[in-house]
Every structure is written in C-alpha cells, then in structure tokens.
Amino acid sequence: MTASSQSTSPQPAASTSRIRVSFEFFPPKTEKMEEALWTAIDRLAPLDPDFVSVTYGAGGSTRERTHATVARIVRETRLKPAAHLTCVDASCAEVDAVVRGYGEAGIRHIVALRGDPVAGLGQRYQPHPDGYASTPDLIRGIRALGDFEISVSAYPEKHPESPDLPADIALLRQKVEAGASRAITQFFFDNDLFERYVDRVRAAGIAIPIVPGIVPIWDFTRTAAFAAKAGASVPRTLAERFEGLEDDERTRQLVATTVCAEQVFDLVKRGYRDFHFYTMNRAELVYAVCHMLGLRPNGKASETAAA
Ligand code: FAD
C-alpha cells in the first residue's frame, strides 16, 4: 500500500467518533516488576484498548522477555498485543526468527523500529553487516514473513539524528510505502507543535493515522532528562508546574494527572480521537485520564465525557 493510496481524511476524525486508546508497557526484569506490570494490565484491560504494545529493549536486550510478555497477553487476556521489534545489532535471520516467533505465538501486530545505535543515542547508527539497513527495509522483511499489521514511530520535533523535519517526514513516507499503516509519535508537550507536524505530514501526502504518544509525568526531572535525549522540548510553563514538588509525591501525582488530562482534552477539542499512552507499567494516572475521556470498564463509554 502506498502513502497516497489510502484514505485522505483519517485524522482528525469526525468529532462524534469514539475515543480509542492504546497502552504501551515494557517487559519486566524481576518478579516484582512482573507483578506490577500485571496489576497495571488487569486495571487497564477492562477499558477495552484498541491494542496494547510491549517494547523491545535497546539492542534486542529484552528479546525473550518481550516475547514472553506478549505471549502471556495472548494466552491470558482478550487484549490485542503489538510486539515492538528493532533491527539494531541483529542479522536479518535473527530478526526473522523473532518475527516467526511472534507469529507462532498469535501476534498479528508489530511496532517496527530501527532502534538506537549500539553505542548509544547521539552516536552514528551502523546497520548490522547482515541485517536490515533501515526501518523501511525491516518492514519489507516483516511483510515477507506474514500478514502483520505494522505500526512505526514518528517524531513531531524530528528524530535527534535527522538533519531536518522534511528528511524525517520523507523517511516516514518510505515507511508507509513499505507497508506501515499507523504511526505513533514520540511524546511531546506542545499540542500546537504536534498539529503543525501533522499538517506537514498530510501536505507530504501521508494519510495513515498519526497517533499522539502521551507520556504521564511521574517524575518531572527524569522525564525532562529523557526528553532532552529524545529531542522533545519541555515548555517552561510545564517545568514551573512541577517546581518545588521534588519531595512531595502526592501533589506531584495530582499535578501530573491534571497536566496529562489538559493535554489530551485539548487534543480532543482539536479533533483527535486516538491516544497512545506510555504507561511505564503504572495504571493509576492513565486510568483516571481515560475515565475522564469517557471510557468505562468493559466498553461502556460515558455519553457525555469528552464530548
Ligand atoms: P527511524 O524513524 O527509522 O529513523 C530515525 C532517524 O534516523 C531518521 O529520521 C533519520 O534521520 C535517521 N536515519 C534512519 N535511517 C537512516 C539512514 N539509512 N541514513 C541516514 N539517516 C538515517 N526503541 C527501542 O529500543 N525499543 C522499543 O521498543 C522502542 N519503541 C519505540 C516506540 C515509539 C512509538 C517511538 C517513537 C520510539 C521507540 N523506540 C524504541 C525508540 C527508537 O528505537 C529510537 O528513536 C531510534 O533511535 C530510532 O528508531 P526509529 O524506528 O524511530 O527510526
């Protein structure tokens, strides 16, 4: 499927269409983290997300754990899991084996990524000599192995390695032409900036849904440090809201919930209906925001919220 052969008005959706959410988790390292993950999944699952995704550690470091987590989701829940996959530091044969494993476990949706350079973000990316050279290449490889739904990343403020936004958008177009049917964005805090990005993506003839990635700010200092690495800007007004709350977790959580709800509600007002939450394996804040959006357990949507 090519970028231009798809629907030209996928987003913003008509303002009457229902809110759809997806939740991202990371594979747990320890038994305690596994318990926390499943507490979060059990809490969020009744909200009937469109899908839930499980990340793939840098350099394939969580290959087995990602597989085990998505396979357990298939076995024990009615959720539709998407497994993340990167092609960094792996041969095509190794990546293909992971894709076949996903298929055998009943996974039909892959979030296909290039991944960070082995030497770390900011270093030059070197493809594995026998590996997929780029994300479009990886997508073609996945599609050769089966009929998977493929989501990819998008960067409203451009990827840190990208020379400029047009180059980034050109790569997104290549990913769509290779077979991606949805892009999930890096997190951002400025909705104007996101909207300008979506306008430029549409102007480039890319019609797939661009789903905003929403990050709850559990710990402002850590989020700001991660944002700096990821090339996501943090508005001064946001920093001010968390100022002085370093030792006050309770208030921080209330502020974080308010900030997240404000961002999402503003996007709803602008016509957006799909949201991908980076849950960090914690349910409370995301559950509260989804509740305010009108989502209710077992698909019973509130009639009035988010209208
Ligand atoms: P791409 O979008 O394919 O490329 C990013 C940029 O790199 C391009 O804009 C371009 O400037 C440059 N580039 C790419 N190919 C070339 C080339 N051949 N020549 C020159 N420049 C090039 N990381 C993980 O390790 N595991 C995960 O599970 C994970 N999940 C993610 C989910 C989402 C929604 C997002 C937004 C990111 C995720 N990441 C994950 C992070 C991601 O792996 C990094 O941002 C990585 O550096 C780029 O991977 P990508 O697929 O986004 O790259």
Side-chain angles (χ1 to χ4, degrees):
M1 192 169 358
T2 64
S4 49
S5 70
Q6 297 174 42
S7 150
T8 51
S9 57
Q11 205 177 325
S15 59
T16 48
S17 63
R18 78 179 180 94
I19 302 283
R20 291 195 310 182
V21 295
S22 50
F23 303 128
E24 182 170 310
F25 301 103
F26 63 85
K29 263 193 197 146
T30 63
E31 247 176 64
K32 203 169 161 215
M33 286 166 81
E34 170 118 11
E35 251 179 65
L37 166 68
W38 281 90
T39 303
I41 292 178
D42 288 345
R43 177 79 170 136
L44 293 170
L47 296 178
D48 196 21
D50 200 23
F51 64 91
V52 296
S53 80
V54 179
T55 60
Y56 195 75
S61 55
T62 65
R63 187 178 305 177
E64 285 77 22
R65 282 186 277 129
T66 299
H67 182 101
T69 306
V70 282
R72 185 170 166 194
I73 291 173
V74 170
R75 278 197 316 273
E76 297 184 14
T77 75
R78 295 171 65 190
L79 296 166
K80 279 177 269 163
H84 292 218
L85 175 64
T86 72
C87 54
V88 64
D89 205 24
S91 67
C92 293
E94 285 167 327
V95 171
D96 290 356
V98 176
V99 174
R100 285 196 193 90
Y102 285 159
E104 282 157 18
I107 284 92
R108 308 303 326 153
H109 182 177
I110 294 179
V111 181
L113 304 140
R114 188 202 67 179
D116 285 332
V118 183
L121 203 58
Q123 304 302 310
R124 197 179 153 68
Y125 181 81
Q126 286 290 356
H128 185 285
D130 302 316
Y132 292 110
S134 64
T135 310
D137 209 18
L138 170 66
I139 295 168
R140 284 185 283 273
I142 295 170
R143 284 174 67 83
L145 293 169
D147 185 19
F148 291 97
E149 179 179 352
I150 297 177
S151 296
V152 291
S153 64
Y155 296 89
E157 296 178 78
K158 87 173 187 61
H159 185 274
E161 280 172 54
S162 186
D164 51 34
L165 208 48
D168 224 57
I169 292 173
L171 184 76
L172 179 61
R173 193 182 164 88
Q174 285 176 35
K175 294 197 263 190
V176 176
E177 284 167 351
S181 58
R182 172 194 297 99
I184 302 167
T185 75
Q186 179 62 281
F187 66 82
F188 59 92
F189 300 110
D190 178 342
N191 289 349
D192 288 343
L193 182 153
F194 168 71
E195 207 162 44
R196 282 198 298 274
Y197 172 74
V198 175
D199 285 347
R200 291 181 74 159
V201 166
R202 299 293 178 240
I206 299 169
I208 61 167
I210 309 293
V211 180
I214 305 292
V215 72
I217 307 176
W218 289 114
D219 178 333
F220 179 77
T221 312
R222 286 179 67 179
T223 304
F226 188 62
K229 268 197 197 161
S233 58
V234 178
R236 178 75 211 133
T237 46
L238 188 61
E240 279 166 9
R241 286 179 155 196
F242 287 93
E243 227 165 52
L245 294 178
E246 294 74 15
D247 300 321
D248 183 351
E249 196 190 342
R250 179 90 192 105
T251 310
R252 239 174 33 223
Q253 282 184 10
L254 293 169
V255 173
T257 310
T258 307
V259 161
C260 185
E262 271 180 5
Q263 182 181 14
V264 170
F265 270 79
D266 180 62
L267 288 167
V268 169
K269 241 193 243 161
R270 294 170 191 239
Y272 293 90
R273 288 293 180 272
D274 291 68
F275 301 98
H276 183 78
F277 288 94
Y278 295 105
T279 70
M280 317 224 222
N281 295 4
R282 294 176 66 168
E284 309 89 309
L285 186 162
V286 171
Y287 190 92
V289 173
C290 288
H291 180 89
M292 284 188 272
L293 282 170
L295 299 184
R296 295 292 182 268
N298 305 316
K300 290 192 196 97
S302 155
E303 298 276 313
T304 51

